[in-house]
């Protein structure tokens, strides 16, 4: 971390061109031009049935069945002409990808620029026919989409709230404290306020010179709203709206790394391409946002100077010292690659830094995905028509006010769309260079040369990550002598031929082997979802919990079903009293995880917690696999008996003593019992 007792030395001004020349070398890549399947004519989207797209309404919905047909209209003739051209050897142009942007209330300008570069068709007011991609603004709440792809996961907005995120990471800290030490110690207010007071008092008594500063962040706040610093727990504003607006309090890093004597953060971008299987991409460049007043360590006099302590753009834009700059190396908003160049000039190991960032991102996403899967099955249960989802985090909320924003945000959105292109054939995933991360490396904490204070873990900060490499990855360097004619031909066929290579690189499942042991909560979530019972619910009822215990053979003479009920009631009552979600009663995922921890500790007392949990998960999965096999064998037997019964029906059923002996035996026994009763009477 930072040097104790001294302010870190500011970095010198950048010398040379922007970028990060110290980054690992990478083999040149060809542009990710999409293949050209034989689609309909240009401008005519590929047909899709009404039942699979947005719900149609109005008289126009009836005409979809004829869409693309060879009728009297121009579309049918144009399609016939295109087919004729294909037979003559002329290559066909691929159909335009269609994007519904009617709900894109945020990052709209960057989206429009991206769509123009891709030459995709935008529908800013929506469309009755289904679109390939639906771009939502803030969250996923749309029951009218039955197909296509939506740029939001259900529940992501809730998961990146400060309390929910802190709980998810805290669970991972319980299991793997060394792996998740990058997240600061957090207390949830108001429920943990007494605990916060007690722990701070105890730490001060054990270390009298310790003079901490704490930062208080409202749970649902954004853009710096409601954030303030305190020196003592008694300074927390309990008299305000803390009951109606809960918050998270964390220890503030008072000695951050500075550039130009200013505090800064790193806004980085991660694409969560899918949950199952888990696919994570990191962009190559991001933004660094700078405070507008020289930094000083927190004192009672400067605690309230937000332009010194908070890096939020929405706050510092109102400062008289805010610098709008067209240069990516200067100003109050710069590219992350320019910051890396400065760090490299000071001797920071950039390769090691990349490795740490990738590790941090993957670990954070692993902490978030279990509950995201619960949200997903609630909004889109198995067997129910629905879209597939992807998400770029954090959301690109601001418009495009400067060339720095356009350079970063447009590229990230454009290349996210390119990766989700529905007409693109599956190709090899575009990986980061192997030199970025040694496959045998065990990913230690963030490098001491870059204090963690510069990775602000606020609403989206944990899920932000973006890598930056040499800015020389352009089409000009990829061209070979004499290839100009070929390039013009490729551009005429496909606009992607004129675009640079993707700025998003896959990091998972590329590095899955190094992190597979961390996915214990993911396996617990799979057990939780299995026993939810009612599709669309997010809480486990008492019957479902008892079924889980019985099917996994977890009850015995020392742990009766009565004890199971008591465990369920105690844990569920405590979690429901927190008031996190009163829409339905029952056991939420976090409560189920706590109950699972109790069961694991009861059964495997001598092991560390993560080994206890892993052993119990293996035990449960083993018994459930046996149960599934029995059910499969039983269902096969029933199917075979039914098939045999059907084959007998044409000739009629003939009951014989040989084939129905049990039935005749029961009839004989019944007759004997009747004779015995008559005799007694």
């Amino acid at each position: 971390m930072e040097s104790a007792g001294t302010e870190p030395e500011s970095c010198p001004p950048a010398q040379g061109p922007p970028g990060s020349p110290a980054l690992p070398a990478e083999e040149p890549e060809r542009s990710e031009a999409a293949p050209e399947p034989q689609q309909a004519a240009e401008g005519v989207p590929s047909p899709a049935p009404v039942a699979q797209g947005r719900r149609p309404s109005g008289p126009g919905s009836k005409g979809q069945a004829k869409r693309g047909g060879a009728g009297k209209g121009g579309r049918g003739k144009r399609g016939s002409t295109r087919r004729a051209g294909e037979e003559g050897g002329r290559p066909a142009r691929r159909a335009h990808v269609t994007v519904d942007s009617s709900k894109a209330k945020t990052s709209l300008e960057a989206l429009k620029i991206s769509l123009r570069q891709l030459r995709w068709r935008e529908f800013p007011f929506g469309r009755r026919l289904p679109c390939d991609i639906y771009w939502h603004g803030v969250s996923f709440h749309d029951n009218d989409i039955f197909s296509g792809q939506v740029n939001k996961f259900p529940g992501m907005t809730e998961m990146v709230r400060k309390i929910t995120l802190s709980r998810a990471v805290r669970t991972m800290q319980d299991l793997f404290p060394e792996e998740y030490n990058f997240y600061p110690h957090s207390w949830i207010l108001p429920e943990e306020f007494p605990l916060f007071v007690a722990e701070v008092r105890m730490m001060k008594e054990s270390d009298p010179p310790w003079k901490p500063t704490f930062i208080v962040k409202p749970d649902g706040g954004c853009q710096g709203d409601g954030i303030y610093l305190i020196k003592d727990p008694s300074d927390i504003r309990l008299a305000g709206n803390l009951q109606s607006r809960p918050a998270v309090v964390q220890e503030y890093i008072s000695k951050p790394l500075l550039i130009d004597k200013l505090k800064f953060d790193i806004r980085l971008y991660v694409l969560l391409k899918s949950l199952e299987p888990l696919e994570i991409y990191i962009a190559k460049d991001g933004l660094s946002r700078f405070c507008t007043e020289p930094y000083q360590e927190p004192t009672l006099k400067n605690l309230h100077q937000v332009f010194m302590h908070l890096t939020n753009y929405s706050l510092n834009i109102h400062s008289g010292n805010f610098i709008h700059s067209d240069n990516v190396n200067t100003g109050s908003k710069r590219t992350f690659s320019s910051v890396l160049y400065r760090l490299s000039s000071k001797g920071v190991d950039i390769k090691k830094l990349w490795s740490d960032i990738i590790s941090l991102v993957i670990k954070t996403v692993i902490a978030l995905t279990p509950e995201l899967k619960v949200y997903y099955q609630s909004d889109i249960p198995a067997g129910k028509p629905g879209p597939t989802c992807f998400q770029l985090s954090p959301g690109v909320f601001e418009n495009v006010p400067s060339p720095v924003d356009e350079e970063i945000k447009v590229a990230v959105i454009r290349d996210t769309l390119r990766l989700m292109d529905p007409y693109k054939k599956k190709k090899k995933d575009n990986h980061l260079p192997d030199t970025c991360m040694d496959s045998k490396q065990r990913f230690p904490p963030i490098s001491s040369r870059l204090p963690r204070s510069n990775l602000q873990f606020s609403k989206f900060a944990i899920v932000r990550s973006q890598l930056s490499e040499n800015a020389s990855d352009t089409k000009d360097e990829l061209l070979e002598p004499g290839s100009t004619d070929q390039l013009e031909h490729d551009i005429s066929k496909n606009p992607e031929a004129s675009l640079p290579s993707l700025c998003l690189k896959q990091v998972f499942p590329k590095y899955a082997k190094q992190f597979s042991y961390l996915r214990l909560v993911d396996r617990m979530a799979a057990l939780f979802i299995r026993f939810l019972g009612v599709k669309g619910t997010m809480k486990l009822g008492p019957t479902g919990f008892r079924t889980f215990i019985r099917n996994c053979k977890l009850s015995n003479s020392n742990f009766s079903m009565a004890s199971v009920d008591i465990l369920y009631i105690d844990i569920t009552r405590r979690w429901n009293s927190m008031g996190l979600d009163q829409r339905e009663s029952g056991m939420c995922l976090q409560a189920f995880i706590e109950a699972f921890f109790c069961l694991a500790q009861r059964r495997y007392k001598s092991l560390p917690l993560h080994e206890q949990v892993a052993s119990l998960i293996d035990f449960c999965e083993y018994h459930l696999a046996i149960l599934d096999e029995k059910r499969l064998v039983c269902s096969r037997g029933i199917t075979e008996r039914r098939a045999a019964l059907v084959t007998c029906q044409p000739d009629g059923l003939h009951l014989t003593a040989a084939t129905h002996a049990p039935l005749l035996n029961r009839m004989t026994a019944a007759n004997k019992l009747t004779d015995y009763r008559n005799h007694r009477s």
Side-chain angles (χ1 to χ4, degrees), residues 583-654:
R583 292 177 298 177
E584 54 180 316
S585 61
M587 176 180 278
C588 64
L589 175 62
Q590 288 294 327
F592 177 79
I593 291 171
E594 181 182 334
F596 201 92
F597 283 6
C598 292
L599 295 170
Q601 291 167 338
R602 177 188 295 269
R603 181 173 286 269
Y604 306 99
K605 297 180 180 179
S606 62
L607 299 176
L609 179 60
H610 70 275
E611 293 185 18
Q612 292 174 341
V613 172
S615 299
L616 186 59
I617 292 174
D618 291 339
F619 184 84
C620 293
E621 290 176 345
Y622 170 76
H623 284 286
L624 292 176
I626 293 176
L627 181 62
D628 291 341
E629 181 65 25
K630 288 181 179 178
R631 289 175 177 172
L632 180 61
V633 171
C634 182
S635 63
R636 285 176 178 173
I638 293 174
T639 303
E640 291 172 357
R641 286 196 294 272
R642 287 177 177 173
L645 182 63
V646 170
T647 57
C648 293
Q649 284 180 350
D651 297 330
L653 294 178
H654 304 285

Side-chain angles (χ1 to χ4, degrees), residues 203-416:
M203 288 186 287
K204 283 186 176 181
E205 291 175 354
S206 62
D207 185 13
W210 182 55
K211 299 184 182 301
T213 302
F214 301 96
I215 183 167
V216 183
K217 307 174 184 177
D219 177 43
C222 63
Q223 299 181 342
D225 176 43
I227 297 178
Y228 61 97
L229 304 182
I230 60 173
K231 298 293 287 185
D232 189 84
S234 60
D235 298 330
I236 288 182
R237 304 167 189 172
L238 290 174
N241 297 325
L242 194 56
Q243 295 294 335
S244 59
R245 193 184 187 189
V248 169
V249 58
Q250 299 172 326
E251 185 178 355
Y252 182 76
I253 305 301
S254 59
K255 296 181 183 295
L257 180 70
L258 304 177
I259 290 182
D260 299 333
K261 297 183 179 181
L262 300 172
K263 181 180 175 181
F264 67 98
D265 71 1
I266 304 170
R267 187 179 180 91
L268 305 167
Y269 295 91
V270 173
L271 170 63
L272 187 55
K273 193 168 182 282
S274 71
L275 290 178
E276 195 63 49
L278 182 61
E279 289 188 66
I280 308 170
Y281 289 76
I282 300 179
K284 290 193 292 184
D285 206 356
L287 296 172
S288 289
R289 306 176 303 175
F290 284 72
C291 287
T292 48
E293 290 184 10
Y295 181 80
Q296 299 175 7
E297 289 191 35
T299 64
L300 293 176
K301 293 183 179 180
N302 66 26
L303 281 180
H304 307 293
Q305 296 184 23
V306 295
F307 297 151
M308 176 187 297
H309 295 293
L310 303 183
T311 57
N312 302 80
Y313 167 83
S314 56
L315 296 177
N316 285 278
I317 188 66
H318 301 292
S319 169
N321 297 327
F322 189 91
I323 301 175
H324 294 275
S325 175
D326 293 340
N327 189 333
V328 297
N329 298 293
T330 61
S332 297
K333 186 183 288 188
R334 312 176 193 178
T335 61
F336 182 36
S337 56
S338 68
V339 171
L340 287 173
Y341 185 83
R342 298 281 292 275
L343 296 178
S344 177
S345 68
K346 293 291 293 182
V348 173
D349 186 349
I350 300 299
K351 293 182 181 179
K352 172 66 167 54
L353 180 59
W354 281 136
S355 214
D356 292 337
I357 290 177
I358 293 172
S359 174
L360 183 150
V361 169
I362 295 176
K363 290 175 183 177
T364 303
V365 174
I366 286 176
L368 291 174
T369 49
E371 198 144 359
L372 280 177
K373 290 183 179 180
V374 176
Y375 275 102
Y376 195 94
Q377 68 82 34
S378 176
D379 279 61
I380 311 174
K384 173 185 174 182
T388 57
C389 299
F390 64 96
Q391 182 140 4
L392 178 66
S393 293
V396 189
F397 288 109
E398 301 133 11
N399 289 326
V400 185
S402 71
V404 177
D405 289 278
E406 181 171 349
E407 177 180 340
I408 302 303
K409 296 177 181 179
V410 172
V412 170
I413 292 179
R414 180 196 66 216
D415 290 350
T416 295

